[in-house]
Structures are given as C-alpha cells and as structure tokens.
Amino acid sequence: MREEKRTGARSWSQQLLYNFLRVMARLVAVGFYRIRVFGRENWPNEGGALVCSNHQGFLDPPLVGLCCDRQLNFLAKKSLFKFPIKAFIEHLNAIPVNRDGTGLDGLKETLKRLRGGEMVLIFPEGTRSENGQLGPLKPGFIAVARKGKSPIVPVTFDGSFQAWPKWQLLPSLGVVHVLIGKPITVEEMAQLSDDELLSLLQSRMDAMFRQVQYSRARSMNPRIHTADKTQFA
C-alpha cells in the first residue's frame, strides 16, 4: 500500500530517533503533565491526512505528535534549517516554511507528503494563543486539504497554554487533556463550499475545545459536576 511504501522509504536511523523521542515525550507528558488523550480511534490508520490543531504554546507540536502512533510531519521556520540542527529536525519530518507560514516550496512539499500518504500537522489559527482560548481559524488549510485530497483531522487540547505560553522562558508543570475528533472526509469536503468548510471546522473545534476544557477542569477539581458544564459552553 502507498502508506507502507512511504514509511519504508525512511531510514532506520530516522525511525529509531522519531520513535525514541515519541516514547520519551510520552513519559514526560504522563509524569509531568498528567496527560489524558481521548478519541485515539479517530486517527486514520493509513493514507494522508491534514491534522488541524489549536495552538496554545511551545509544547504543541510534540504534544500532538506523541498522541499519534503514526509519524506526523511538522511545519518549521526555514531559518531553523541550518547547521547544527538541520539534520535533527529533518529526521523529525519538518517541512521548511517562511516565517509567516507561507512559501511555494513549503506548500509543494506539504502536498507531496499528503499525496504520498503522510499526515501533516498545521495550526490553522496561524499563531499561538494570547489567552489560551481557541481563536478564529484562517482559511489557508482549505486549499491544502483540497489539493492534497486528504481528510481533515481536528485536534484540540487544553493545558499547554498554562504549561508554556509564548512569553514564558521555560515550561512549568501542569495538566493537559487532548481530544482527537472525527475526520472530515474528502467526500464531505467535496459537498461544501470553502466558507462552509471553514465554518464546519471552526464549529467542530469550538465544541471539541469546550469538551476538553471541561474534562481537564473536572480532573483538577472533582467537585465540578455535569451541571457546571454550562460554564464551558
């Protein structure tokens, strides 16, 4: 199958490094952030997929990556692809893009990996959150998903902002909950206009974010009952 062909093209050193770092990240997430992951069954078992996640802080790329048993591809600033870390981030499936997340080369490589059966992680808000809340999504993901002929997998989490917001120098301890949502299929996308697709993903991620906020809050305060869920609506 196409996915197996692509995975087989990876070197043993790349697979070893990625898998080792994923195991280490999972141990850290469990030990220091009491991570809970919901909806693992919604990850596609094969084929390309565009993973669209909210963006709270510096922990987000490895946070999403450790939740998936398949390897993810990540977007990274082109300025990072220099010695001595160039080879390291390339082994982590990084795709170089301009500072603003644009660039024809980055788009071509993203589409190439999607069409080759890979999963690519993007943050459609376009920047890290200022307050931990889910912001409005930018429509750039739509063309990528359509041209890549890939389903969209929505992911939301809460707790990354509290652990390591963009203005904080070092991470702190915390609690993180992650929710993987049901994919929006290629067939569903074909029936929707761009505006309708943007609205669908926004509403789905809004609902998922409220759900994961509630589950995290309840894990930290068991006295929160179902009746209190309205405060997260």
Side-chain angles (χ1 to χ4, degrees):
M1 298 188 319
R2 186 170 60 178
E3 174 67 10
E4 293 173 346
K5 180 179 178 182
R6 172 65 182 165
T7 303
R10 290 192 172 104
S11 67
W12 66 268
S13 60
Q14 189 279 337
Q15 296 182 59
L16 184 64
L17 176 63
Y18 191 101
N19 292 337
F20 171 76
L21 291 177
R22 181 167 53 196
V23 170
M24 292 298 101
R26 287 174 174 175
L27 291 175
V28 170
V30 171
F32 295 98
Y33 297 100
R34 293 156 53 191
I35 191 169
R36 295 284 305 277
V37 183
F38 306 93
R40 286 182 182 272
E41 68 279 3
N42 290 320
W43 285 123
N45 292 322
E46 59 182 19
L50 188 65
V51 181
C52 292
S53 171
N54 64 314
H55 203 3
Q56 289 192 333
F58 290 112
L59 293 174
D60 300 350
L63 177 62
V64 180
L66 68 86
C67 297
C68 185
D69 290 334
R70 293 176 59 189
Q71 290 198 19
L72 295 185
N73 295 266
F74 308 87
L75 305 184
K77 292 187 296 184
K78 188 177 293 185
S79 59
L80 296 175
F81 286 76
K82 297 178 181 178
F83 182 83
I85 67 170
K86 181 176 184 292
F88 177 75
I89 61 175
E90 285 179 341
H91 269 58
L92 296 180
N93 304 323
I95 301 172
V97 296
N98 296 335
R99 183 177 179 84
D100 59 358
T102 63
L104 185 58
D105 291 344
L107 175 59
K108 287 182 176 179
E109 183 61 27
T110 299
L111 292 175
K112 177 182 177 182
R113 298 194 191 188
L114 287 172
R115 292 166 180 167
E118 292 286 332
M119 300 176 69
V120 178
L121 169 66
I122 65 170
F123 300 106
E125 293 168 279
T127 187
R128 291 184 294 271
S129 175
E130 295 286 346
N131 57 11
Q133 298 301 306
L134 175 65
L137 307 183
K138 296 183 178 180
F141 72 91
I142 296 174
V144 177
R146 292 196 190 279
K147 291 181 180 179
K149 296 180 173 58
S150 300
I152 295 171
V153 182
V155 175
T156 60
F157 49 79
D158 191 36
S160 171
F161 176 80
Q162 293 81 355
W164 202 358
K166 64 181 183 179
W167 59 80
Q168 187 170 301
L169 183 60
L170 295 173
S172 53
L173 302 181
V175 177
V176 177
H177 281 205
V178 185
L179 175 60
I180 298 99
K182 183 179 179 181
I184 301 173
T185 67
V186 175
E187 292 74 22
E188 288 179 284
M189 289 190 287
Q191 303 299 317
L192 301 172
S193 68
D194 287 357
D195 288 342
E196 289 172 333
L197 180 54
L198 178 62
S199 178
L200 174 61
L201 183 61
Q202 182 78 63
S203 62
R204 186 169 295 187
M205 290 184 66
D206 283 340
M208 289 171 56
F209 184 66
R210 290 192 296 270
Q211 184 177 344
V212 82
Q213 273 188 309
Y214 173 73
S215 69
R216 175 178 177 269
R218 192 171 185 183
S219 74
M220 298 173 67
N221 183 3
R223 289 178 295 178
I224 295 178
H225 300 293
T226 302
D228 300 316
K229 194 173 183 178
T230 54
Q231 68 179 296
F232 300 98

